[in-house]
């Protein structure tokens, strides 16, 4: 199992920046992949960015060139640097961890952190 604690959300004006942090309760070397998802009111949860244990990275098309996912292995933490924020980036952002288990994988989620982009 793994517990995930997120921080860094808040209110920011369009064009501004925020950095989200997600700290895991175990070494992220033991986690197959970590990522950030978001869910806006009335919409489905969607992948924003993910990084695998082999450092492969995926981004949603809507955030490419603006968001950067990275990790600090010594801190068991994954970051999401969000630049040039737009009102449509407003959502609750969730940290996700995927662990390999016998027969497949298991997903773990953080509690979510609100990001609001508004003037």
């Amino acid at each position: 199992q793994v517990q995930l604690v997120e921080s860094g959300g808040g209110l920011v004006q369009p064009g501004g920046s925020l950095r989200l942090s997600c700290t895991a309760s175990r070494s992220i070397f033991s986690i197959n992949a970590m990522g950030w998802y978001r869910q806006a009111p009335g919409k489905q949860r969607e992948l924003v960015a993910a990084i695998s244990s082999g450092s492969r990275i995926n981004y949603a098309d809507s955030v490419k060139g603006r968001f950067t996912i990275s990790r600090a292995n010594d801190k068991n933490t994954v970051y999401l640097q969000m630049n040039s924020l737009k009102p449509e980036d407003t959502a609750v952002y969730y940290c996700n961890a995927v662990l390999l288990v016998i027969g497949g994988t298991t997903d773990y989620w953080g509690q979510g952190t609100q990001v609001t982009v508004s003037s």
Side-chain angles (χ1 to χ4, degrees):
Q1 291 188 346
V2 60
Q3 285 76 47
L4 304 170
V5 178
E6 302 131 332
S7 62
L11 172 65
V12 64
Q13 292 186 341
S17 298
L18 283 174
R19 189 177 79 159
L20 305 183
S21 300
C22 173
T23 300
S25 61
R26 60 188 285 176
S27 170
I28 60 176
F29 282 118
S30 66
I31 299 174
N32 188 56
M34 294 188 70
W36 291 93
Y37 286 71
R38 67 186 181 188
Q39 187 167 19
K43 294 187 177 181
Q44 290 188 332
R45 191 172 296 189
E46 62 176 0
L47 174 69
V48 177
I51 183 167
S52 72
S53 58
S55 296
R56 287 181 300 175
I57 293 176
N58 290 318
Y59 293 104
D61 288 342
S62 59
V63 306
K64 284 180 180 177
R66 300 189 297 122
F67 291 11
T68 302
I69 189 170
S70 62
R71 65 186 192 194
N73 295 331
D74 59 332
K75 298 179 180 179
N76 296 335
T77 298
V78 172
Y79 303 99
L80 184 68
Q81 178 66 42
M82 305 185 293
N83 298 328
S84 302
L85 282 160
K86 304 175 181 180
E88 51 263 44
D89 295 318
T90 296
V92 178
Y93 283 69
Y94 295 92
C95 182
N96 168 262
V98 179
L99 269 64
L100 294 177
V101 298
I102 296 175
T105 60
T106 298
D107 284 81
Y108 293 87
W109 298 91
Q111 78 282 1
T113 185
Q114 178 70 47
V115 171
T116 302
V117 184
S118 175
S119 56

